[in-house]
Amino acid sequence: MALIFKKQSQTVPDFKHGNSSSIHCILLCFFLMLALIAPALAADKVEISVDASKTGATINRNLFGQFAEHLGHGIYDGIWVGPDSKIPNTRGIRNDVVAALKAIKVPNVRWPGGCFADGYHWRDGIGPHRNVRLNPDWGGVIEPNTFGTHEFMDFIDQIGSHAYVSVNLGSGTVHEAADWLEYMTAGQATTLAKERGTNGHPAPYKVAMLGIGNESWDCGGNMSPDYYTSQMKDYSHFVRNYNPAQQVAPGQENKEEMMKIAVGPGGNEPRFVDWTETVMKAYQHHSWSWDINGLSMHNYTVDWQHKYASTGFGETEYAQVLKSTLEMDGLINKYSAIMDKYDPQKKVALVVDEWGSWYAPLPGSNPGFLVQQNSLRDAVLAALNLNIFARHADRVRGANIAQMINVLQAMILTDKEKMALTPTYYVFKMYVPFQDATFVPVTFDAGTYKHDDVSLPRVDAIAAKNASGKLWLEITNVDPNEAAEIQLNVTGANAKSAVGQTLTAPKVDSINTFDAPKTVVPKPISGKVEDGKLTVTVEPKSVTVISVE
Ligand code: AHR
């Protein structure tokens, strides 16, 4: 103790005996330090201005779509356990998973792939005798086909969602795809419709969205843009939806009309400019006999050379991954500009039907199963992407995160009877009020968060009004070290209070596990009014959704 005291006493200035010049020097240093710190303190405050009287495009609910491929434990174990399982289920579909998905109001589920779709033959998955095949794309494992068309439609129905079916343009034929759509949707007593009835569903199914191939420039057939476009025209014409509720009378609109989505670009490679140009140029001059309503875009947050780990990382990897995910905005700008040339009225939606983080497979897992953990970093990443989509809501009218359960950036992880909801799940839950809400522009000076050589906007935000006129605001604090005091300047509405939920956790790599499922869960947050100003303080590395009353 004595030694410590002695050491300290050597560094503490002796005011009593000090001369006046050393006191001046200390005071000078003190004020100098204050001057240096002051801007940093001021930077902790962010003014967000919202003009609630100005509105933009509708944030289409389909931006919150999901993707469920026959891959790893995405379908089998994740959704399907079979009617004889001890795991509580309804007709073979897990009850816990259904309840969790209902709560996030999944607007549509893209199925059966992905790369799997272009090797899928729908007849393998109907009727009492299923064809057992292999899944060469994903680990070469047995595909029992016990989860087929009827099981998928039952699942969609149980979670209250809509079907986005990708047909096989790679190894299949137009004939096969046309038959599948007739089987699913025909209302009249055709042979295929009767077969559907014999298999348990006399009423026609609805198919809300149709994917015409998947990544046809690569795993879907490595086609040239011209070859794909010519195939796509045939599929668009012949693969018909016969459901009476989805028909469109001449000169009229039907909100239930099936959306046909052509394969579009996948990332930033130069070849995708030509691809997008070719498909959109064809669309510009399309005849009455074919049409598309959407162009797909795939973009993962991934470093293909050195995949990032999904657990046990620090601030460096946090900053690098978030920097990479923000490239989504540039890609949307790039491909939207091409679409604008051929479709200035924005009739064709850009549908980002595969997006999310793609990390290294978890040690010990089958590399073909794309198993990864999901951390607070993924929650921030999801919010940043959803905000990008919302800002492009006039053109981006669909998106499907990859993938729903146990694969890549999943909502849900399962292990036999156990289930854990991921940080990304909670982001989707918090964003439910934004589904079909009207975009409201916000302005703010985001500031900068810096780590090593990475600089990122420190704060992100979007606002929207729902059908009853309530104003919702999302604020992401990217900075993992500093809280942000948000001052809300709302015009066009009388803002007196702000309440909602915020999602953060102790560390950037905090995760929810089966044993500790509540490490990253939302908690309530509210703003306060001081001097007539509404402020809300958001924690470091957090996602916050509030309603402003
Ligand atoms: O989501 C995994 C795979 O990524 C999909 O099957 C494919 O479309 C994409 O390359």
Side-chain angles (χ1 to χ4, degrees), residues 67 69 114-115 138 214-215 298 300 354 358 370 403 408:
F67 173 33
E69 179 167 15
C115 297
W138 305 116
N214 170 77
E215 298 192 353
H298 291 180
Y300 286 97
E354 284 188 32
W358 188 320
L370 311 186
Q403 298 193 5
L408 298 176

Side-chain angles (χ1 to χ4, degrees), residues 81-218:
V81 287
D84 301 330
S85 171
K86 288 202 177 86
I87 299 171
N89 68 83
T90 302
R91 295 179 294 278
I93 293 164
R94 293 179 76 122
N95 293 346
D96 52 355
V97 163
V98 167
L101 292 172
K102 264 174 131 166
I104 59 170
K105 298 193 186 301
V106 178
N108 72 78
V109 182
R110 181 170 179 255
W111 174 84
C115 297
F116 181 84
D118 279 304
Y120 183 64
H121 300 285
W122 66 277
R123 282 204 162 275
D124 290 341
I126 58 159
H129 305 292
R130 306 294 170 96
N131 284 336
V132 175
R133 295 203 181 258
L134 294 174
N135 187 338
D137 287 304
W138 305 116
V141 294
I142 290 279
E143 167 54 60
N145 278 307
T146 33
F147 190 90
T149 304
H150 290 259
E151 292 74 21
F152 171 66
M153 291 297 189
D154 189 12
F155 169 62
I156 288 298
D157 199 39
Q158 288 189 37
I159 66 169
S161 191
H162 291 97
Y164 176 178
V165 174
S166 279
V167 290
N168 182 345
L169 182 140
S171 66
T173 61
V174 187
H175 185 173
E176 183 190 7
D179 276 0
W180 192 15
L181 262 284
E182 185 185 325
Y183 178 85
M184 288 190 280
T185 63
Q188 289 151 299
T190 70
T191 304
L192 284 166
K194 284 199 268 181
E195 188 181 1
R196 183 188 67 229
T198 308
N199 288 333
H201 206 276
Y205 292 117
K206 280 186 188 163
V207 177
M209 299 158 89
L210 183 84
I212 307 179
N214 170 77
E215 298 192 353
S216 306
W217 30 260
D218 214 339

Side-chain angles (χ1 to χ4, degrees), residues 261-318:
I261 299 156
V263 170
N268 208 9
E269 285 174 50
R271 63 178 171 142
F272 294 126
V273 170
D274 185 27
W275 185 283
T276 309
E277 289 269 352
T278 306
V279 176
M280 289 308 296
K281 207 180 277 178
Y283 166 79
Q284 186 185 31
H285 302 293
H286 77 91
S287 75
W288 65 268
S289 66
W290 74 275
D291 198 2
I292 52 171
N293 318 85
L295 183 76
S296 123
M297 177 179 123
H298 291 180
N299 182 46
Y300 286 97
T301 301
V302 62
D303 180 341
W304 294 114
Q305 267 67 49
H306 308 283
K307 293 210 188 83
Y308 289 98
S310 60
T311 56
F313 56 86
E315 190 173 344
T316 299
E317 295 83 356
Y318 170 82

